[in-house]
Amino acid sequence: MPERPNVTVTVHRVDGTRVLAVAGDLDLGTVAAIRARLGEIFADGATAVVADLRDVTFCSTAGLHLIEELRCRSVACPASFGVVVGDPISGLLRFLELPDGLRIYPTLAAALAPR
């Protein structure tokens, strides 16, 4: 029997914003499970997307590519895009040269606040 990916993915809506919440590992073994849920986010013209990664415990380069893929798909919609992160991802994202338009928030409430 194949091993189940060490990730939990939920998609929900908060006042019109699509929230993709991920818990567990964000790596080569789990990104396919997350990509399978992206259609729910972009199916009906999302105008705001937030990736809630506070409960991610590990992020590989495959996870970083997925974050960039989400950002690019949001721009193409067009939709605003933000990432909610805690440790260990916040340090990693701040260390890297991030593309324009990648907003990083410490809490989901900050990401959902009107601008």
Side-chain angles (χ1 to χ4, degrees):
M1 175 179 259
E3 187 175 320
R4 292 183 56 178
N6 185 23
V7 69
T8 302
V9 183
T10 59
V11 176
H12 60 280
R13 190 183 287 217
V14 178
D15 296 330
T17 298
R18 302 315 184 291
V19 178
L20 171 74
V22 180
D25 295 343
L26 190 52
D27 60 19
L28 188 58
T30 62
V31 293
I34 299 164
R35 274 195 185 100
R37 305 293 301 271
L38 296 186
E40 295 174 51
I41 296 171
F42 298 104
D44 60 354
T47 58
V49 176
V50 172
D52 184 354
L53 307 179
R54 291 173 295 166
D55 294 325
V56 169
T57 54
F58 173 79
C59 183
S60 73
T61 55
L64 294 174
H65 284 282
L66 181 68
I67 293 168
E68 175 61 5
E69 180 181 337
L70 277 164
R71 187 194 69 80
C72 289
R73 286 185 72 173
S74 295
V75 168
C77 277
S80 65
F81 178 68
V83 180
V84 181
V85 293
D87 291 331
I89 309 241
S90 62
L92 179 62
L93 291 179
R94 283 174 176 49
F95 174 76
L96 299 172
E97 289 187 24
L98 302 173
D100 291 338
L102 182 60
R103 294 182 183 100
I104 301 172
Y105 300 97
T107 65
L108 184 58
L112 296 173
R115 288 178 206 7

